[in-house]
Amino acid sequence: MGNRNLISIIFMLLSVCAIHAQRGKKDKVEMPAIEIAQNPKLVVGIVVDQMRYDYLTRFWNHYGEGGFKRLVGEGFNCKNHHFNYMPTKTAPGHASIYTGTTPSVHGVLGNWWYDRLDGKSVYCVSDDNQNPIGTDLDAGRMSPHRMLVSTITDELRVNTQMRAKTIGIAIKDRGAILPAGFTANAAYWFEGKETGNWISSSFYMDQLPTWVTAFNSSEAAEKYKRPWETLKDINLYVESAKDANEYERKFRGEVSSTFPHALPELWDANEKFEMLRETPFGNSLTTDFAMAAIDGENLGTDNVTDFLAISYSSTDYVGHAYGVNSIEVQDAYLRLDKDIQRLLESLDQKVGKDDYMVFLTADHGVPPAPGYLQDVGIPGGFLSEHAMKEELQEFLSYRYGTTDILKNISNFQVFLDRDIVENLDMAMGDLQWEIGQQLLKNDKVQQVFTGYQMSQYQFTDQLAGLLQRGYHQKRSGDILFIPPAGYIPYREAGTDHGSPFVYDTHVPLLFYGTGIKAGSTTARTEVTDIAPTIATLLGIAFPNGTTGNPIEAVLE
């Protein structure tokens, strides 16, 4: 009887274990997979140079279904997206988008800035230690060496042990180089002039790849040597001002700024292929080259995420020349819409519609031409940094007996000679204040702040805060000023940018594709949020200087 009980107990125990094993196995099978990151085959970053947010809405009814409307309709639209620093220029814009921080950290203060150590102005990406590739001109002596922190493209390369490919492409060198970062496989920009070639630097390579050489030899740029006519009937461009007005610049040799712009007849007088920069054809050529790069570099063809950074530079050239309300600007965006459609359709075919992610933004906005503002009764005007310098020199000569204290005025900043200041036996902060108060007497100056204030205080005021986030303790000037709204450095025609005002800070931000929700938000987002959003989606480290935060609403 005892043996029977023992056998029964053993049988029961084995049955219970079997049941639990089956349950455990069943539970294990049914447990949902945890998705910790997205793995698109390709990320495409698009920066449209000088694109105001209202270009998206103002020209909406003219856009086709496959470009901007596709990105907005199927993607996520951040409607209240802003730059959070001053100066709003091309180089710091691209650097901020890709580093997730501001000039106070990444160190790219402008396209050009005064280097007090060298005593001269320096260009943001110039590098005499590099050799030109694909050209004999100094236009190829470039690198990102003046940027001080990593980019999202760098972090992708590091995360994948350099297996990910990252490529930067733009008509402007700075628009290709700064997004591509320090570890890029390549960055390419447009030489223009006699050749119309795409070139690079020894920072990236020893010679151009075969596909680039073939593209340059294919006369791809020559096909755009044609008249620039409006894409649609010019009478339909009711969102813009009349065709010719006094706010617009003319090509050399043009009698009027009216359409059509006869590129073939004006070709030689305007440095030949350089003309393409200043027309929508520069953006079309950029799209052609980007599509060739996807093929030539085999981007998005495996399970390691690649990154293609494209900057459309020609919208900036057109905007500077003709202004916000011009038919030229409207036509440039209608043509860009078609180029974006071409690019998306190419990605659908070559990478796969569900296998890539795109974000589109701008590096800054722009105000209407000040002459136009004045004519319609809105405050606006011009300032001259040269005139400011002359006025300050007169004050310094009278007050201190020397003008040598003043070294440079640029990017709305005043640089002083610190060695001479020491000999004056005066505290730098006091001298900055006194000169700043003199500068404030100029009616073209709205606010003045000193370097001492920027270093010692944390500003919560909106304009002062933007100025502070653009201030780098080692590289910035001793006195910083803000012009009144609507005022720009003097130009014979067109407009300019760089201020902390909303017309320069409010730009589009669209996300589309793998891992992106469909929808929109009117909550404020900032340029420094883009890189950490992409990093979060990919599950990689943020760029090492990041000060922004992921935009939670965008991500699935």
Side-chain angles (χ1 to χ4, degrees), residues 189-203:
W189 52 97
F190 188 59
E191 181 181 42
K193 299 190 183 299
E194 297 282 341
T195 68
N197 285 343
W198 292 84
I199 64 173
S200 192
S201 153
S202 59
F203 183 84

Side-chain angles (χ1 to χ4, degrees), residues 40-47 97-98 151-157 160 163-169 179-181 184-186 293-294 297-302 304-310 347 357-359 511 530-531 533-535 537-538 540 543:
K41 292 183 177 180
L42 181 64
V43 175
V44 181
I46 300 174
V47 179
I97 290 165
Y98 280 85
T151 61
I152 184 66
T153 45
D154 288 323
E155 297 301 335
L156 178 60
R157 289 273 284 162
T160 60
R163 289 179 295 140
K165 280 192 173 183
T166 58
I167 309 288
I169 292 171
N185 297 85
I294 294 170
E297 299 288 348
N298 295 313
L299 299 178
T301 57
D302 57 28
V304 178
T305 301
D306 297 324
F307 203 121
L308 177 61
I310 306 170
L347 292 169
M357 192 277 283
V358 174
F359 71 87
F511 292 91
I530 297 173
T533 300
I534 302 302
L537 182 143
L538 298 178
I540 63 176

Side-chain angles (χ1 to χ4, degrees), residues 30 53 58 69 75 79 92-93 142 152 209 252 283-284 296 316 341 359 364 432 474 502 524 548 552 556:
E30 291 181 353
Y53 180 81
R58 187 171 133 211
K69 285 186 176 180
K79 298 180 178 182
M142 304 288 168
I152 184 66
R252 285 188 293 274
N283 289 335
S284 298
D316 184 69
Q341 179 175 340
F359 71 87
H364 54 75
Q432 290 176 347
K474 287 190 173 183
V502 67
R524 182 181 173 95
E552 184 178 354
E556 288 184 344

Side-chain angles (χ1 to χ4, degrees), residues 277-444:
R277 297 178 184 271
E278 303 179 47
T279 74
F281 302 143
N283 289 335
S284 298
L285 180 61
T286 301
T287 306
D288 296 341
F289 189 73
M291 291 165 60
I294 294 170
D295 287 335
E297 299 288 348
N298 295 313
L299 299 178
T301 57
D302 57 28
N303 291 324
V304 178
T305 301
D306 297 324
F307 203 121
L308 177 61
I310 306 170
S311 181
Y312 284 112
S313 307
S314 290
T315 41
D316 184 69
Y317 289 105
V318 174
H320 276 299
Y322 298 99
V324 170
N325 293 319
S326 66
I327 290 176
E328 281 80 2
V329 162
Q330 180 168 355
D331 194 67
Y333 279 91
L334 301 194
R335 290 179 180 275
L336 177 61
D337 181 58
K338 288 188 171 297
D339 285 322
I340 291 172
Q341 179 175 340
R342 282 201 298 136
L343 178 65
L344 294 177
E345 289 174 350
S346 177
L347 292 169
D348 290 344
Q349 179 182 0
K350 296 173 182 177
V351 180
K353 186 173 181 180
D354 299 324
D355 291 325
Y356 66 90
M357 192 277 283
V358 174
F359 71 87
L360 182 148
T361 188
D363 55 348
H364 54 75
V366 72
Y372 169 79
L373 292 177
Q374 292 172 345
D375 286 349
V376 297
I378 299 174
F382 301 90
L383 60 89
S384 168
E385 290 180 338
H386 178 73
M388 286 183 177
K389 184 175 182 179
E390 289 183 340
E391 291 174 8
L392 277 185
Q393 285 176 327
E394 184 177 346
F395 166 75
L396 294 171
S397 178
Y398 171 78
R399 180 70 175 82
Y400 301 106
T402 178
T403 61
D404 293 340
I405 299 172
L406 181 61
K407 297 291 288 184
N408 181 268
I409 299 181
S410 57
N411 290 327
F412 307 114
Q413 300 184 23
V414 178
F415 292 80
L416 305 179
D417 190 316
R418 294 179 179 177
D419 292 333
I420 293 178
V421 172
E422 286 184 9
N423 294 331
L424 291 175
D425 193 27
M426 187 174 183
M428 174 61 83
D430 294 339
L431 183 62
Q432 290 176 347
W433 176 261
E434 187 167 336
I435 295 174
Q437 291 305 297
Q438 178 64 29
L439 187 64
L440 196 56
K441 295 177 181 178
N442 190 314
D443 62 2
K444 307 295 176 59

Side-chain angles (χ1 to χ4, degrees), residues 243-301:
D243 188 16
N245 56 66
E246 60 271 32
Y247 320 120
E248 298 180 351
R249 192 221 64 182
K250 295 186 285 291
F251 283 111
R252 285 188 293 274
E254 270 190 325
V255 177
S256 169
S257 62
T258 55
F259 277 98
H261 298 286
L263 270 64
E265 288 81 358
L266 302 167
W267 195 252
D268 291 341
N270 291 273
E271 299 185 88
K272 299 182 178 180
F273 288 99
E274 288 294 295
M275 283 198 82
L276 298 185
R277 297 178 184 271
E278 303 179 47
T279 74
F281 302 143
N283 289 335
S284 298
L285 180 61
T286 301
T287 306
D288 296 341
F289 189 73
M291 291 165 60
I294 294 170
D295 287 335
E297 299 288 348
N298 295 313
L299 299 178
T301 57

Side-chain angles (χ1 to χ4, degrees), residues 11 28 34 74 76-77 96 164 184 191 199 217 222 262 268-269 311 366-367 371 401 417 421 462-463 493 533 535 555:
F11 179 78
K28 186 175 181 181
I34 297 174
E74 299 179 28
F76 196 95
N77 181 10
S96 297
E191 181 181 42
I199 64 173
S217 301
E222 277 83 350
D268 291 341
S311 181
V366 72
D417 190 316
V421 172
Q462 176 71 359
L463 294 185
T533 300
L555 303 175

Side-chain angles (χ1 to χ4, degrees), residues 209-234:
T210 303
W211 72 266
V212 178
T213 303
F215 188 91
N216 287 338
S217 301
S218 69
E219 298 188 350
E222 277 83 350
K223 70 181 181 182
Y224 294 111
K225 182 184 176 182
R226 62 178 191 245
W228 174 13
E229 300 173 325
T230 53
L231 182 66
K232 297 184 176 183
D233 181 345
I234 196 169

